[in-house]
Amino acid sequence: MKYKYAVIGYGFIGRRHVATLKNFENCDCVAVCDTHEERLDEARKLYPDIEIYNHIDQLLEHSDINGVIISANNNQHKELVIKSAQAGLNIICEKPVALSVKEFDEMMEEVEKAGVQFTVHQQRRFDKDFRSIKKCYDDGLLGEVYTIKSSLYGFNGNMHDWHVLKSEGGGMLYDWGVHLIDQILFMINSPLKSVFADVRNVINKEVDDYFNIIMRFENNITAVIELGTYYLSDQSNWFERHWYMSGNKGSMYANKFDPEGKIVRTTRLLENVAGEQDKSAASYGPTRSFGIPEKGLIVTEEIPKVNTEYIEFFNNYFKALDGEAEMLVRPEEVRKVLSVMEACWTSAATFKSVSF
């Protein structure tokens, strides 16, 4: 079957979606819809054969399509998803799919009533750094994992375009937090027990640009997610992705989206010795667990490299439409991410942990 799709919202990610759909043999992007005339002019020049619309109602009335990709501003997702579902179209929606769990439930009511396929573009499940970390976790390379830290830091402080406006669904928790939370939930196969979060406006007036989220799971893993758009250091590769994971058989770290890092182990553990111990300077006394390790005590291994590409999201999507695979990003997973985000807002406002 040849799938004919429209992209609603021809901004940065919308442009990429059009180009992606054009590269599939069994799919084409036949229409673009946007309210900015200059963006539509660009689409006309790049794709002379494409249909151009400046309102979704015109698109739904006149265009012969099977589905849509919604990449408009966050606060517009609900209306666009509901209208598309009522028109009987399959839907891919950009993240965050909604600004609240309530909004999402209202959207899903219409999606289920219409019986259309629905998913969310959580493409960062295919980030190379994340997949390397996930392989360490899945393969048990560190033994029983007890802590995972995921972080991302920036130097500019300010955001761009509508992302600086609260009314448009701006802010870093909606922008990047939804990805980082989704990665942790997708990796850790255990129920979530509690969420504690600190969410702040450091540089930006209306929207958050720093958050620190602590997630505790029933399998006793504590995951920490930290992001700051104005979180500075002169360390090399600081303004990149950072991961750290530790278990009872070693630790690992990875930096950069194309990850560089190591698995780190010890060749032997210090003995637990009760009673009086050597207090000489050579023994490091009571700080011996934190002293300088002797030569050969710390050994490293290469982290696993997993080659993934964002196109795999769409490969899975179209296979699912053809009944050859299960949809990778399921509505119940999306709803859980939104629930965690709401718990973050509640925790930040009350300075209390939120049970999950």
Side-chain angles (χ1 to χ4, degrees):
M1 177 179 178
K2 184 79 169 183
Y3 295 105
K4 293 183 288 184
Y5 269 63
V7 171
I8 304 174
Y10 192 67
F12 171 76
I13 195 67
R15 289 172 169 90
R16 296 182 67 176
H17 286 321
V18 173
T20 297
L21 293 176
K22 288 286 186 184
N23 285 326
F24 275 87
E25 290 185 3
N26 65 332
C27 179
D28 190 15
C29 179
V30 300
V32 164
C33 182
D34 199 291
T35 58
H36 295 263
E37 192 59 36
E38 62 274 17
R39 294 180 183 175
L40 297 179
D41 286 340
E42 177 187 317
R44 288 187 186 97
K45 292 175 183 177
L46 289 174
Y47 308 102
D49 60 332
I50 212 163
E51 299 171 14
I52 300 296
Y53 300 94
N54 60 17
H55 197 281
I56 185 174
D57 291 344
Q58 294 178 344
L59 168 72
L60 298 180
E61 181 179 355
H62 297 290
S63 187
D64 178 23
I65 52 178
N66 313 110
V68 295
I69 299 181
I70 295 171
S71 52
N73 298 12
N74 295 341
N75 65 321
Q76 300 171 27
H77 290 178
K78 177 185 173 182
E79 177 188 2
L80 297 175
V81 165
I82 288 176
K83 285 189 173 184
S84 299
Q86 290 173 343
L89 301 174
N90 295 325
I91 302 164
I92 300 175
C93 187
E94 267 302 324
K95 57 76 199 170
V97 62
L99 300 184
S100 68
V101 173
K102 181 176 182 294
E103 269 195 9
F104 179 72
D105 289 344
E106 292 170 356
M107 294 158 69
M108 287 307 302
E109 183 177 347
E110 295 298 326
V111 165
E112 291 168 0
K113 189 186 301 181
V116 297
Q117 292 280 2
F118 175 84
T119 191
V120 177
H121 189 228
Q122 293 284 177
Q123 86 283 9
R124 290 198 175 276
R125 291 188 183 187
F126 293 103
D127 279 355
K128 290 182 173 63
D129 59 290
F130 168 65
R131 285 291 175 150
S132 292
I133 298 295
K134 188 175 185 299
K135 184 166 179 59
C136 281
Y137 179 86
D138 291 343
D139 292 354
L141 300 184
L142 306 179
E144 295 181 13
V145 172
Y146 62 89
T147 187
I148 302 172
K149 183 173 182 181
S150 163
S151 55
L152 178 63
Y153 305 126
F155 58 88
N156 184 50
N158 289 308
M159 282 165 271
H160 64 281
D161 202 11
W162 57 267
H163 291 281
V164 301
L165 302 174
K166 188 174 183 179
S167 61
E168 300 288 319
M172 275 294 141
L173 193 58
Y174 282 137
D175 189 14
W176 267 95
V178 63
H179 280 309
L180 306 185
I181 292 168
D182 181 69
Q183 287 179 339
I184 292 294
L185 293 177
F186 186 57
M187 176 166 52
I188 300 177
N189 51 339
S190 177
L192 181 62
K193 288 180 65 177
S194 66
V195 175
F196 181 85
D198 181 11
V199 184
R200 303 193 185 200
N201 304 38
V202 178
I203 300 294
N204 292 269
K205 294 180 180 179
E206 286 193 28
V207 295
D208 63 285
D209 48 23
Y210 172 85
F211 54 78
N212 187 298
I213 304 167
I214 302 173
M215 303 165 66
R216 185 70 185 270
F217 293 83
E218 283 191 8
N219 63 358
N220 291 323
I221 292 178
T222 297
V224 179
I225 303 172
E226 185 174 56
L227 177 145
T229 67
Y230 194 66
Y231 199 95
L232 309 180
S233 173
D234 62 350
Q235 295 180 44
S236 177
N237 300 318
W238 179 254
F239 304 116
E240 277 271 11
R241 275 296 263 137
H242 305 280
W243 287 91
Y244 179 82
M245 180 162 58
S246 197
N248 61 357
K249 293 185 179 179
S251 303
M252 67 88 64
Y253 66 90
N255 300 312
K256 297 187 177 184
F257 288 97
D258 192 359
E260 297 176 359
K262 299 285 186 182
I263 294 175
V264 184
R265 307 188 194 278
T266 55
T267 54
R268 65 176 178 81
L269 296 176
L270 292 170
E271 295 179 2
N272 291 317
V273 182
E276 187 67 15
Q277 301 172 38
D278 179 14
K279 297 299 191 296
S280 68
S283 74
Y284 295 106
T287 66
R288 68 195 194 107
S289 294
F290 305 99
I292 301 171
E294 63 188 62
K295 189 175 181 179
L297 184 64
I298 301 296
V299 294
T300 62
E301 305 166 16
E302 294 298 320
I303 60 172
K305 292 294 184 72
V306 181
N307 290 319
T308 52
E309 301 292 340
Y310 295 144
I311 196 66
E312 294 180 45
F313 173 90
F314 288 96
N315 290 337
N316 166 264
Y317 176 75
F318 288 116
K319 284 182 179 179
L321 289 189
D322 291 334
E324 299 173 1
E326 290 188 10
M327 200 74 75
L328 177 72
V329 183
R330 302 189 302 273
E332 60 269 24
E333 296 173 325
V334 174
R335 191 180 192 278
K336 188 173 183 180
V337 172
L338 290 173
S339 298
V340 172
M341 292 170 70
E342 288 195 352
C344 290
W345 293 119
T346 301
S347 177
T350 60
F351 305 102
K352 294 180 180 179
S353 177
V354 177
S355 296
F356 214 80

